[in-house]
Amino acid sequence: MPLPPFTDEHEELRQSIRRFVARELRPYSQQWEDERWFPNEVFHKLAAVGFLGLKYPEEYGGEGGDHLHDAVLIEELPRAGSGGVSAGIGGHIGIATPPIWKFGTEEQKQRFLVPAIQGEKIGALGITEPDAGSDVAAIRTLARRVDGGWVVNGSKTFITNGMRADFVVTAVKTTEEGGHHGISFLLLEKDMEGYSVSKKLEKMGWHASDTAELSFQDVFVPEENLLGEENRGFYLIMANFQWERLAMALGSVGSMQAILERTIEFALEREAFGRPIGKHQAIRHKIAEMAVKLESGRALTYDALRRFMQGEEPLREVTMAKLKTQRDCFEVADEALQIHGGAGYMKEYEIERVARDARLGPIGGGTDEIMKEILGKTYGL
Ligand SMILES: Cc1cc2nc3c(=O)[nH]c(=O)nc-3n(C[C@H](O)[C@H](O)[C@H](O)COP(=O)(O)OP(=O)(O)OC[C@H]3O[C@@H](n4cnc5c(N)ncnc54)[C@H](O)[C@@H]3O)c2cc1C
């Protein structure tokens, strides 16, 4: 029985996504991790079966579904066994295209959203800078008003899909004023003069995804590439964060589910001292605790998702779900590694990769410390 808010229809979609992941992603994940890159063809394959446009209307080439359909996809992607693949796809569907759908003009939707749903243009979201991460209001990339648009100077860092992105939904300052008032969003395109990828970044995990530093030197951005209202970009950031964080929570629920299944299987097969290790109480208890982390994270996440789908603005619930699942996912992966013994430390079992990939969760999309700050404020502190 599907758990609410999911229905039988979502379960059917889940089975078809699971088959796609097993056929098109999982067999190649080790190769892509080694190559530090997954091919753009993955986006084409996802587009061909409609997975890049699940939540978008048919008139833009989407499937006419909603965020619940995307939620199923996000939960299933970890079964590919590569956080980097999930991140690259998630960067595109989860944080780059939603603001265009929500705040873009019709012309921008035709120019960016339609090809993004077809997998023809790949998107990224550029907010973080070398001197501004958690403190988003401290960004310094400056867009100076000129005739017909803006001239942008500055840089962005840690940008997922940064190497391959055709367009970057970029946060800039459109006034010299401090704080969050003068932030706007511009759509920067890779062939604009003065736009360059300055560095490919090497990471602890998420190896198959490309993470880059971007540099903007006197990049002219025309008027029609302003996304949303000028100087109201902070609102766009906050709106985007809710789905990003909920999506991260869903990804971790999916990941914990997959890890638990594999670990139980291993614990029933692997024998030590005359019986399967899962029959030793210490291991059984570890697995019991992993299951509690999974199910409590799922309960918080699905509650936030239900509220989100009902049109509430569930800031507290989304923040709790993000905080709880990200740390727990890393701990669950680490316990799985312990239960696998020496095999857990070996590359071929993929558990070490899952643990490395999961370590990003408490940092990306807003750190654990920032989640606690937000939660504290919701209690009037
Ligand atoms: C692999 C990867 C992919 C990413 N992808 C993207 C992307 O696609 N687009 C994008 O824009 N960004 C992206 N990021 C950036 C990510 O969102 C930031 O790393 C994150 O928000 C934290 O910012 P920071 O790294 O500058 O850390 P800082 O803000 O410098 O924080 C450093 C430490 O101080 C703590 N801290 C900061 N402020 C407070 C406070 N008020 N109280 C208590 N503690 C505090 C933090 O929690 C953290 O522990 C990515 C990062 C990584 C690692």
Side-chain angles (χ1 to χ4, degrees):
M1 282 287 285
L3 282 177
F6 297 111
T7 63
D8 288 338
E9 182 218 332
H10 299 110
E11 285 317 296
E12 267 177 45
L13 175 66
R14 187 183 298 281
Q15 294 314 318
S16 103
I17 294 174
R18 199 169 285 186
R19 284 193 296 273
F20 176 91
V21 169
R23 194 179 62 241
E24 302 291 349
L25 304 180
R26 189 164 171 74
Y28 310 102
S29 58
Q30 183 63 60
Q31 180 193 338
W32 296 339
E33 286 283 307
D34 291 343
E35 292 173 357
R36 300 289 197 267
W37 181 264
F38 68 89
N40 283 355
E41 196 197 342
V42 169
F43 287 100
H44 300 150
K45 285 191 172 171
L46 285 158
V49 285
F51 293 167
L52 296 184
L54 288 172
K55 63 181 176 303
Y56 296 124
E58 288 169 21
E59 58 186 294
Y60 296 105
E63 297 298 299
D66 57 27
H67 283 80
L68 275 188
H69 298 92
D70 251 19
V72 176
L73 174 63
I74 293 160
E75 261 192 71
E76 289 303 314
L77 281 176
R79 288 181 188 270
S82 162
V85 171
S86 294
I89 299 167
H92 182 71
I93 64 168
I95 55 179
T97 56
I100 300 177
W101 162 240
K102 195 162 180 187
F103 301 97
T105 61
E106 184 53 34
E107 188 268 339
Q108 287 169 343
K109 286 178 188 161
Q110 294 299 335
R111 203 149 50 96
F112 297 101
L113 186 63
V114 169
I117 291 172
Q118 290 167 343
E120 297 300 329
K121 274 190 183 171
I122 295 164
L125 177 72
I127 298 176
T128 307
E129 298 186 358
D131 294 316
S134 304
D135 186 5
V136 172
I139 61 163
R140 288 206 292 227
T141 293
L142 188 65
R144 188 169 43 84
R145 251 289 179 207
V146 293
D147 217 17
W150 293 266
V151 169
V152 178
N153 279 286
S155 63
K156 296 286 167 188
T157 195
F158 305 155
I159 305 307
T160 302
N161 290 341
M163 300 292 296
R164 67 175 97 215
D166 296 292
F167 65 89
V168 182
V169 178
T170 310
V172 297
K173 291 288 290 186
T174 29
T175 69
E176 305 262 4
E177 200 185 332
H180 58 259
H181 294 297
I183 295 177
S184 304
F185 270 85
L186 296 176
L187 288 153
L188 266 67
E189 298 172 70
K190 78 166 179 210
D191 47 11
M192 285 175 166
E193 206 173 319
Y195 173 107
S196 64
V197 176
S198 35
K199 198 179 191 182
K200 181 175 181 191
L201 301 165
E202 290 298 328
K203 309 181 290 293
M204 170 183 177
W206 281 22
H207 285 166
S209 87
D210 56 300
T211 310
E213 201 169 283
L214 307 176
S215 155
F216 316 130
Q217 283 184 348
D218 289 329
V219 183
F220 173 73
V221 182
E223 195 91 51
E224 61 266 25
N225 281 29
L226 171 70
L227 183 64
E229 279 179 59
E230 192 173 353
N231 297 330
R232 295 265 296 155
F234 201 72
Y235 172 68
L236 187 150
I237 294 178
M238 292 304 134
N240 220 30
F241 266 152
Q242 289 313 296
W243 179 246
E244 175 178 8
R245 289 170 184 163
L246 196 42
M248 286 182 74
L250 285 159
S252 288
V253 168
S255 188
M256 285 190 278
Q257 175 76 51
I259 298 167
L260 187 67
E261 286 170 17
R262 288 184 59 176
T263 307
I264 292 172
E265 207 177 300
F266 181 85
L268 288 171
E269 271 171 18
R270 176 77 183 169
E271 294 203 358
F273 298 97
R275 53 191 155 142
I277 56 167
K279 300 289 180 189
H280 292 290
Q281 194 179 41
I283 301 289
R284 213 161 42 213
H285 285 192
K286 277 186 199 296
I287 289 178
E289 283 178 16
M290 288 161 73
V292 172
K293 283 185 172 138
L294 163 63
E295 296 306 338
S296 54
R298 191 199 308 275
L300 265 180
T301 303
Y302 284 12
D303 175 54
L305 182 61
R306 266 192 303 275
R307 291 170 187 272
F308 183 89
M309 294 308 295
Q310 282 163 10
E312 287 178 38
E313 286 185 18
L315 175 68
R316 180 183 288 172
E317 291 77 8
V318 168
T319 309
M320 280 187 181
K322 200 284 182 181
L323 177 64
K324 169 91 180 122
T325 52
Q326 303 310 295
R327 176 62 58 178
D328 279 358
C329 187
F330 175 68
E331 288 175 4
V332 163
D334 191 41
E335 278 295 31
L337 198 154
Q338 187 67 20
I339 293 170
H340 278 73
Y345 203 72
M346 298 297 138
K347 211 169 148 183
E348 67 172 288
Y349 279 81
E350 293 180 13
I351 300 291
E352 58 85 34
R353 185 201 302 162
V354 176
R356 282 187 287 104
D357 288 349
R359 189 60 188 87
L360 188 272
I363 298 169
T367 64
D368 279 6
E369 290 77 13
I370 296 302
M371 293 307 103
K372 290 177 194 170
E373 283 298 290
I374 295 172
L375 281 175
K377 284 181 191 153
T378 71
Y379 289 101
L381 300 168

